[in-house]
Amino acid sequence: MINLNIDSAKDRTYDAIVIGSGISGGWSAKELCERGLKTLVLERGRDVKHIKDYPTTNMYPWEFEHRNELPYQIKKDNPIVSKCYAFHEDAAHFFVKDQEHPYIQEKPFDWIRGYQVGGKSLLWARQTQRWSDFDFEGPARDGFAVDWPIRYADLKPWYDQVERFAGIAGDRDGLPELPDGEFLPGYPLNVVEKYFKKSIEGKYPERKVISARCAHISKPQPIHIQQGRTQCQNRVLCQRGCPFGGYFSSNSSTLPWAAKTGHLTLRPDSVVHSILYDEHKKRAIGVKVIDRNTKEEIDFFARVIFVNAAAINTNLLLLNSISNRFPNGIGNDSETLGKYVAFHNYSARVYAEYEELLDYKTTGRNPAGGGYMPRFRNLYKQETDYLRGYAAGFGAWRSAVGDQSGLGKGLKESLLNPQLGNWGVGSHMMGETIPKATNFVTLDTQRKDDWGVPLLKISIDYDENDDKMKKDYLDTMEEMFKIAGFSNIRRDEAWQAPGLDIHEMGGVRMGADPKTSMLNKWNQMHAVSNVFVTDGACMTSTATQNPSLTYMAFSARSVDYAVREMKKGNL
Amino acid sequence: MNRRTALKQFFILAGGLMIASSCTGGVGEASIELRHIVLSAADEALIGDLVEAIIPGTDSPGAKELNLHLFVMKMLDDCHSSEDQEAFIKGLKKVAKAELKTESARLAYLQTLREDVFFDILKKRTVQGYLNSEYIMKNKLIYELVPGHYDGAVKVNT
């Protein structure tokens, strides 16, 4: 056993600690390092180096042992993660397996996790839509949660900055509900997506179908080349990790950029057990880490701590950071920690066919995935029997398929001569859910994981608002598909547990009042001024947009504030 | 696996996929390593004849030449439930009993099977292995690993 006292605490002291290396942690690290702070990034999982550690990235379909299908036993052993659309042979090594990190579902919740350097930024769906004041003003207007302590204008310059660096493809659509940004050229809608746009916007001018904005380098700028990244090659095999750096991930972008400053120390295999709070100094002084492999306990110290462990794990970590001052979790004077957790309702889809425009097809692959319909329900005023609304994805595709019904020479002939069929079209809902005290996470008082951290209990469910919204989405999309003349319309309303949207948010919410929220308008803990939370845990409400871009902007903005405060001697 | 068996083991290409050969290499055993099911060399030969009946060699390779029988065996071994595996082996034994001598006899036999687990697995995996084989994806229906473009409105040549 190594006597850790030999290491002086000085060697374990940094200016800043970032807990987590995923999409928001990578941004915190980059911004801190660029401002000259000696920064320690702690990642609970293994290291994943850009390109070098993407073992499947250049594999052809026939090179996978099971043609990208996962063996029966793996699916049987992992019922939760097996529900994720991206959990296949080519990316299974980037997902947490069910048995490795158990949790307790008081209500069904599919918690999808990626424990490695880069976290889920390697695996994300790369959709990047900005929030607007229609979203930030939602809780105040509609009377739920608490008012956001910021508005769009506070975040806009930081959206600008992260978009320029990350590389976001999109069109300038001029929509107040989905503000334009610093875009690279968008990926155009295909011929049927354009037709649907025209058809719907003709009948309902307030409903827009735009090209989905996504974190792909459609046209590299010097800032991307400097990161060693280049143009997206339309492989759409992103979940394997991209050898071109064509999409944004911590691994391809923010972490190597932070490392280049010389101020970054990245420590993988470091499970953060808790944040250490000093009762006399009245501030956090560091973190207690359990080495993932050796189980050794090591304390690290810093002046500021950025918590970017991913929404639910950030809740877990703060709940487990207990002191005399904070017996119910660090910073938890408001008793809101772990509560008001919300997510996106992804539980409905509509599919159909289109039997026109058959003289067209597509070639190549679209990294944006197709079209996006920003929220149009209850936008300017309350107009339905439920609160808020939904955004929707919309895509059309046409592929050549060989008839597989025969046998022998006839079958072979038809397989080798695939025919273009009708267009397939599909949409999925992305519904805002209302944060409530009754959707919460807590720590189990008995069971602990292999690193001595209590297991998390998750108690999150849909409510009546979600059910009404889902029905409206299905009816409305079906009606729009009919207007467009689509055939064979199928509603897919199969229930799925919350969590599978992988957009869990909240539990450490922002707000102006320390009595009802955990964080102030700078993502700074009301009660512990040198702790900042800039991942999904900070979200006061969920809106309908894919949230990662907003976490990135929060991280950059919050670091800027923290460093200014440090320079002023306030931190 | 000790060094001796490791040395004995080699890889067989099945539709472009490398499959580990059987470790023991005993007479009468299947030629590939199977972890959950037991198939004999005779079973393997029969599956070879059956996949060939499903996708025969013509002016281009058939399923047997592409080693798709080994692919079927591999997928059956790893990607199916034990119920599926038992049903498949039962179905295979029935085919063996029928003592089908010619490809047309095998084809005729397969055509009598409807809603049959054995037949479903055999055909599904043969077709999958064929369409995703290196041969097909490089020579017939070209798979683009790096398309480098997207065009959403390409006129179809008529």
Side-chain angles (χ1 to χ4, degrees):
Chain A
M1 175 92 190
I2 300 163
N3 184 349
L4 291 169
N5 292 327
I6 292 169
D7 271 331
S8 76
K10 201 173 158 231
D11 292 342
R12 285 175 282 121
T13 300
Y14 296 81
D15 296 327
I17 288 173
V18 177
I19 303 167
S21 63
I23 215 154
S24 66
W27 269 98
S28 297
K30 168 186 172 290
E31 299 293 312
L32 288 160
C33 288
E34 280 184 319
R35 286 166 176 77
L37 272 71
K38 199 179 144 200
T39 303
L40 173 67
V41 174
L42 296 168
E43 164 54 51
R44 68 171 301 149
R46 67 189 171 94
D47 196 8
V48 172
K49 290 260 186 289
H50 183 47
I51 304 178
K52 181 179 153 284
D53 292 324
Y54 304 157
T56 61
T57 189
N58 284 320
M59 284 172 69
Y60 282 88
W62 62 83
E63 294 178 302
F64 288 95
E65 191 175 4
H66 305 98
R67 297 291 200 275
N68 211 23
E69 185 175 324
L70 280 166
Y72 179 80
Q73 195 62 40
I74 291 180
K75 289 195 217 170
K76 204 175 149 202
D77 290 344
N78 297 281
I80 299 166
V81 66
S82 290
K83 293 179 201 164
C84 179
Y85 66 94
F87 185 67
H88 299 292
E89 210 167 21
D90 64 348
H93 47 284
F94 290 145
F95 285 91
V96 166
K97 312 303 177 294
D98 296 6
Q99 304 305 320
E100 294 169 355
H101 298 284
Y103 62 97
I104 299 152
Q105 301 180 57
E106 292 191 323
K107 293 169 183 171
F109 187 91
D110 295 328
W111 189 12
I112 308 298
R113 294 157 289 172
Y115 290 173
Q116 61 261 326
V117 167
K120 297 195 295 293
S121 78
L122 284 165
L123 296 165
W124 66 313
R126 311 167 308 282
Q127 296 281 308
T128 45
Q129 334 292 341
R130 287 188 183 201
W131 282 41
S132 73
D133 277 335
F134 293 99
D135 306 302
F136 287 113
E137 288 171 0
R141 188 192 82 175
D142 291 343
F144 63 92
V146 291
D147 189 13
W148 275 92
I150 62 156
R151 288 296 181 265
Y152 176 66
D154 296 302
L155 212 49
K156 182 188 178 300
W158 302 99
Y159 274 132
D160 290 348
Q161 186 188 315
V162 300
E163 285 180 347
R164 277 193 294 265
F165 188 84
I168 305 296
D171 295 333
R172 300 186 66 83
D173 300 294
L175 307 176
E177 67 273 34
L178 204 74
D180 291 332
E182 297 291 313
F183 296 150
L184 306 172
Y187 291 95
L189 299 175
N190 69 33
V191 60
V192 169
E193 290 157 357
K194 273 184 188 154
Y195 160 75
F196 182 67
K197 173 187 175 73
K198 202 173 144 209
S199 161
I200 295 313
E201 292 179 6
K203 168 100 181 178
Y204 296 108
E206 76 284 8
R207 301 183 190 177
K208 305 293 179 188
V209 182
I210 63 165
S211 170
R213 299 163 184 176
C214 63
H216 283 261
I217 300 178
S218 55
K219 188 178 175 192
Q221 303 301 308
I223 188 65
H224 307 124
I225 304 297
Q226 285 167 36
Q227 295 170 42
R229 301 170 58 204
T230 187
Q231 186 168 340
C232 167
Q233 296 298 312
N234 306 68
R235 293 167 18 118
V236 196
L237 299 171
C238 313
Q239 69 281 355
R240 301 178 182 181
C242 181
F244 302 96
Y247 75 94
F248 173 85
S249 66
S250 296
N251 312 65
S252 68
S253 178
T254 43
L255 289 175
W257 192 266
K260 267 200 288 193
T261 65
H263 300 305
L264 174 73
T265 303
L266 174 63
R267 194 180 195 282
D269 302 314
S270 302
V271 179
V272 179
H273 172 278
S274 51
I275 294 173
L276 304 169
Y277 180 77
D278 187 308
E279 318 255 338
H280 301 291
K281 292 178 181 162
K282 292 187 167 43
R283 51 193 277 135
I285 53 166
V287 298
K288 174 170 152 181
V289 163
I290 312 292
D291 187 282
R292 181 171 71 98
N293 301 311
T294 65
K295 312 276 164 75
E296 243 170 17
E297 186 184 319
I298 315 166
D299 292 346
F300 292 97
F301 306 99
R303 279 174 72 191
V304 289
I305 295 168
F306 273 76
V307 189
N308 298 98
I312 287 182
N313 270 322
T314 287
N315 277 274
L316 170 56
L317 171 62
L318 300 186
L319 285 165
N320 198 42
S321 301
I322 293 164
S323 56
N324 286 329
R325 167 71 178 84
F326 296 111
N328 299 318
I330 189 166
N332 191 14
D333 288 341
S334 62
E335 298 289 333
T336 59
L337 175 59
K339 297 175 188 165
Y340 303 94
V341 179
F343 57 100
H344 279 156
N345 184 354
Y346 268 52
S347 69
R349 296 145 293 271
V350 182
Y351 300 104
E353 287 175 50
Y354 188 47
E355 298 172 35
E356 303 288 332
L357 291 170
L358 296 181
D359 47 345
Y360 286 96
K361 62 173 184 175
T362 67
T363 59
R365 295 193 279 273
N366 183 1
Y372 180 89
M373 297 187 74
R375 175 166 74 94
F376 51 85
R377 281 291 191 233
N378 302 322
L379 195 59
Y380 288 92
K381 61 178 191 336
Q382 183 62 36
E383 58 204 10
T384 65
D385 64 346
Y386 62 84
L387 292 180
R388 314 308 296 161
Y390 47 83
F394 175 79
W397 58 89
R398 191 174 187 216
S399 49
V401 184
D403 177 17
Q404 300 192 0
S405 60
L407 279 178
K409 277 182 188 161
L411 171 63
K412 188 178 184 185
E413 189 69 16
S414 61
L415 291 177
L416 291 177
N417 294 285
Q419 303 297 313
L420 284 166
N422 290 334
W423 287 89
V425 299
S427 166
H428 65 278
M429 82 176 284
M430 298 174 268
E432 179 163 356
T433 71
I434 307 294
K436 298 179 295 283
T438 49
N439 276 347
F440 60 88
V441 298
T442 52
L443 301 184
D444 190 76
T445 51
Q446 310 290 324
R447 283 167 286 183
K448 290 185 174 176
D449 69 12
D450 293 348
W451 299 270
V453 177
L455 295 194
L456 194 73
K457 294 192 288 187
I458 303 183
S459 189
I460 294 171
D461 206 351
Y462 296 105
D463 62 17
E464 199 188 332
N465 200 67
D466 300 322
D467 295 341
K468 286 178 179 170
M469 186 190 294
K470 176 175 174 172
K471 185 175 183 312
D472 178 48
Y473 161 80
L474 286 161
D475 292 346
T476 304
M477 193 54 67
E478 185 174 350
E479 190 220 351
M480 288 192 281
F481 276 19
K482 280 180 182 159
I483 289 167
F486 296 159
S487 59
N488 190 18
I489 299 172
R490 282 107 59 207
R491 294 157 66 115
D492 174 4
E493 44 197 300
W495 187 88
Q496 68 176 47
L500 200 53
D501 44 293
I502 326 183
H503 285 179
E504 57 272 15
M505 288 176 248
V508 192
R509 71 182 178 192
M510 296 169 74
D513 185 352
K515 290 194 195 71
T516 57
S517 62
M518 290 283 295
L519 308 172
N520 69 14
K521 66 176 175 178
W522 302 107
N523 298 70
Q524 178 182 32
M525 262 189 190
H526 290 299
V528 187
S529 61
N530 65 333
V531 175
F532 294 81
V533 177
T534 64
D535 64 13
C538 78
M539 302 297 275
T540 308
S541 66
T542 72
T544 55
Q545 291 85 332
N546 309 68
S548 299
L549 180 73
T550 300
Y551 308 161
M552 298 191 229
F554 271 134
S555 300
R557 176 175 176 270
S558 184
V559 167
D560 181 70
Y561 169 77
V563 175
R564 280 192 282 118
E565 288 297 291
M566 287 169 87
K567 285 186 179 153
K568 284 186 213 159
N570 294 339
L571 271 182
Chain B
M1 188 166 43
N2 64 31
R3 190 167 168 273
R4 267 182 88 82
T5 55
L7 284 173
K8 266 200 230 167
Q9 193 170 29
F10 60 101
F11 289 89
I12 300 172
L13 281 175
L17 167 74
M18 301 225 286
I19 298 182
S21 72
S22 158
C23 286
T24 48
V27 179
E29 289 180 14
S31 64
I32 62 167
E33 185 181 28
L34 297 169
R35 278 169 276 194
H36 307 103
I37 54 172
V38 178
L39 291 172
S40 66
D43 293 332
E44 180 175 319
L46 178 55
I47 298 169
D49 288 342
L50 293 171
V51 300
E52 184 67 11
I54 293 170
I55 300 178
T58 51
D59 55 344
S60 67
K64 195 170 177 181
E65 189 183 329
L66 295 173
N67 272 340
L68 295 184
H69 53 309
L70 303 183
F71 175 73
V72 170
M73 289 158 60
K74 173 80 180 161
M75 295 302 276
L76 178 70
D77 189 38
D78 288 342
C79 295
H80 285 271
S81 65
S82 53
E83 293 79 32
D84 272 7
Q85 290 166 347
E86 278 165 32
F88 185 93
I89 287 167
K90 217 170 127 190
L92 189 66
K93 297 240 180 306
K94 267 171 78 180
V95 188
K97 266 199 190 140
E99 292 188 15
L100 308 162
K101 302 286 184 220
T102 63
E103 188 163 308
S104 58
R106 287 186 279 270
L107 194 57
Y109 181 92
L110 289 175
Q111 266 155 350
T112 66
L113 300 178
R114 284 286 174 265
E115 290 178 29
D116 179 281
V117 177
F118 163 72
F119 177 73
D120 287 349
I121 294 171
L122 178 73
K123 184 175 170 187
K124 174 183 147 185
R125 295 305 186 183
T126 304
V127 169
Q128 179 194 23
Y130 183 68
L131 290 175
N132 284 333
S133 67
E134 181 174 14
Y135 174 78
I136 293 298
M137 287 194 147
K138 275 188 173 168
N139 300 290
K140 297 287 185 183
L141 306 166
I142 310 300
Y143 173 80
E144 292 179 308
L145 186 65
V146 186
H149 81 288
Y150 174 67
D151 190 338
V154 177
K155 272 276 187 188
V156 177
N157 299 322
T158 47

